[in-house]
Structures are given as structure tokens and as C-alpha cells.
Amino acid sequence: GNVNITSVKSGVFAHDDISIEGGTLNVKGGTNGLKSEGTVTVKGGKTVVSSGTKKNDFSVYNLKGFVYSGGTLIAAGNQIKTVSSTATPYAIATISDSAEAGKKVAVSVDGKEIASVTPHASFKTVIVLAPTIKEGSTMTVDIDGEKKDFTMSNGFNELKID
């Protein structure tokens, strides 16, 4: 199913673990997007997250781990926790100057769009996880029409956008 959450505080908050296994989850958090005092696990589905405007707001925050094994996740905010376990390459784009709210971020792999988000608040980071991201593939990050290409390597890829 589809779940849309808009909150003045954290969009999704758990004292334990958060597990996303399917469906479509759209989150607009006033502070953090997804926040877990345990582990955040993404196993399937499509997850789109936008977090708040404060410097210390996270699009995805966890205390014990961030595990990815399937599905697509794109999350924009001022900070992001790195993934602690994944067999798939992934990317975190860091923007030198924060981008304005309402600027669409579209991510393509080898010419095919895999995810997009239009953050409701200004943002400095975007994380993208998807099974189509492979070592050697070309990822294009398009922020409101300004595109930048990156060649993906295995594991964590830090993409710097000026």
C-alpha cells in the first residue's frame, strides 16, 4: 500500500527498530525524516524522505545501524547516517551550499530515472539506495535541472556537488 506522512516532528520515530519491506512510503518530517533509537532496515518498496531545516536534522537517523537489502530509498535533508550494511553500492550527495526547498532532485542510473524527491525544506545531503546501482554504472544527480554525472564504485560513494 501507500503511506504518506507529514509531521511537525520526526516523520517516523521508533524507540526500537524501523523495518521497511514493501509498498510506498512518503515522509515529510518537520525535524528528522526517519528516526530510530534502534536500527533502520530497508528490504523493499519505495521510500521517499524529506526532513526539516535545522542544521542537525537528519533525513535518516539511527543509533544502532542502517541496513539495506532491497527496494529504493531517496532521502534529502541536512545530515544522513551512512549505511552500516549493504551488498549494493550506494551514494550520498553532499551539496556545498544548501539547496532551496522545492527543488526537485532526480537520480538516474545509466540514463534511467530510479528515484526523485522534492524536499519541502532546504537540504545539504541526498542519499540514494537502489538495486539498479552497480559498480561501474553512471549515476546522474539532477537538482532542478542542474545535472552532474558520477561513476559508481563498490560500497559507499560520496558525491560532491558545488
Side-chain angles (χ1 to χ4, degrees):
N2 295 326
V3 177
N4 297 306
I5 298 170
T6 301
S7 174
V8 295
K9 298 284 279 174
S10 293
V12 175
F13 174 79
H15 289 285
D16 293 315
D17 299 335
I18 295 172
S19 183
I20 301 167
E21 299 184 12
T24 301
L25 175 61
N26 294 296
V27 178
K28 290 181 181 177
T31 55
N32 301 293
L34 302 175
K35 182 177 181 179
S36 170
E37 292 182 0
T39 301
V40 173
T41 302
V42 179
K43 296 179 181 179
K46 177 183 174 187
T47 305
V48 178
V49 178
S50 175
S51 65
T53 59
K54 293 180 185 172
K55 189 169 85 173
N56 59 346
D57 289 340
F58 285 78
S59 52
V60 179
Y61 177 84
N62 55 276
L63 286 176
K64 297 184 180 175
F66 185 1
V67 178
Y68 172 80
S69 63
T72 300
L73 178 137
I74 185 167
N78 284 320
Q79 294 189 61
I80 184 73
K81 291 281 191 168
T82 57
V83 176
S84 54
S85 175
T86 182
T88 306
Y90 72 100
I92 296 178
T94 304
I95 303 158
S96 59
D97 295 320
S98 64
E100 296 174 17
K103 291 195 175 210
K104 180 181 178 183
V105 179
V107 177
S108 301
V109 173
D110 295 331
K112 182 178 179 194
E113 185 174 307
I114 61 167
S116 67
V117 60
T118 303
H120 69 288
S122 61
F123 59 99
K124 289 187 70 70
T125 62
V126 177
I127 186 170
V128 182
L129 295 145
T132 54
I133 302 172
K134 307 282 185 212
E135 183 176 9
S137 61
T138 299
M139 177 178 282
T140 303
V141 178
D142 178 342
I143 300 175
D144 209 34
E146 293 187 34
K147 298 179 181 181
K148 190 159 183 184
D149 292 333
F150 302 91
T151 300
M152 301 302 290
S153 60
N154 211 8
F156 168 60
N157 292 263
E158 183 176 13
L159 316 177
K160 298 214 182 258
I161 300 174
D162 299 323

